[in-house]
Amino acid sequence: MKRTTTPDVITVDEQGRESTVFALKRSCNGCGQPLGDLLDRDLDADGHAVDVRAECPHCRPVAEAERAGCRTWLLTPRTIARVDDDIDQLRVFAKGYWQPGPDGKNRVVGLRIGDGPDRVVARWGDWIIRHPDGRWSVHKAPTGAAS
Ligand SMILES: [Zn+2]
């Protein structure tokens, strides 16, 4: 079933009171972009939201990489400690990636994985991809995504 996007309907009664009728919406669980109206299939039998990244034009390559055997992580300030631990357990060097902010003070803006010329840098909102052959790549966050 194709997902539709029902627009909000705003009505004003005789007393001038405004009311809005709207359909619940579903956003991508990978990047947060809106996908359209919520559907029954968006929840599993236990009521948990299912993975809809394959429907998202931005995140589809990450979902396809997972199906091809890649391991992936979404990098955010909340996930960096776990991601760093996971990468350490793979015996790969990783550390916070620092850059000066608008105030000139250095701050962590992502994670550097590996050392030497093959290293990759992921920033907040990027997906880190570990390929079955051991290579690393980064799927950039959508332009304008919140960090
Ligand atoms: Zn997405």
Side-chain angles (χ1 to χ4, degrees):
M1 179 181 177
K2 186 162 170 28
R3 197 181 293 274
T4 56
T5 301
T6 305
D8 294 357
V9 177
I10 300 171
T11 55
V12 181
D13 69 13
E14 308 83 44
Q15 285 83 38
R17 290 180 297 221
E18 193 176 284
S19 62
T20 304
V21 175
F22 61 92
L24 292 176
K25 300 292 191 280
R26 178 68 201 254
S27 294
C28 175
N29 53 301
C31 68
Q33 296 189 100
L35 296 176
D37 294 345
L38 187 71
L39 302 172
D40 288 343
R41 66 175 157 88
D42 286 323
L43 301 177
D44 68 16
D46 298 321
H48 300 117
V50 300
D51 183 4
V52 291
R53 292 172 300 152
E55 283 185 53
C56 174
H58 177 76
C59 294
R60 188 175 302 125
V62 176
E64 288 171 354
E66 290 172 359
R67 278 199 300 278
C70 297
R71 190 166 173 194
T72 66
W73 298 264
L74 175 63
L75 185 67
T76 72
R78 292 176 62 180
T79 65
I80 188 169
R82 184 181 52 80
V83 173
D84 197 2
D85 284 350
D86 285 352
I87 293 172
D88 284 348
Q89 286 178 18
L90 295 168
R91 300 186 190 287
V92 174
F93 175 80
K95 68 179 279 192
Y97 185 71
W98 294 72
Q99 277 195 327
D103 58 2
K105 292 180 183 168
N106 277 335
R107 60 196 170 118
V108 175
V109 296
L111 190 66
R112 180 166 66 103
I113 302 149
D115 46 18
D118 295 334
R119 75 178 191 167
V120 297
V121 173
R123 294 170 184 272
W124 303 141
D126 292 349
W127 284 88
I128 298 166
I129 302 173
R130 167 84 164 183
H131 298 268
D133 64 4
R135 284 179 309 113
W136 294 88
S137 63
V138 172
H139 184 73
K140 290 290 178 195
T143 306
S147 57

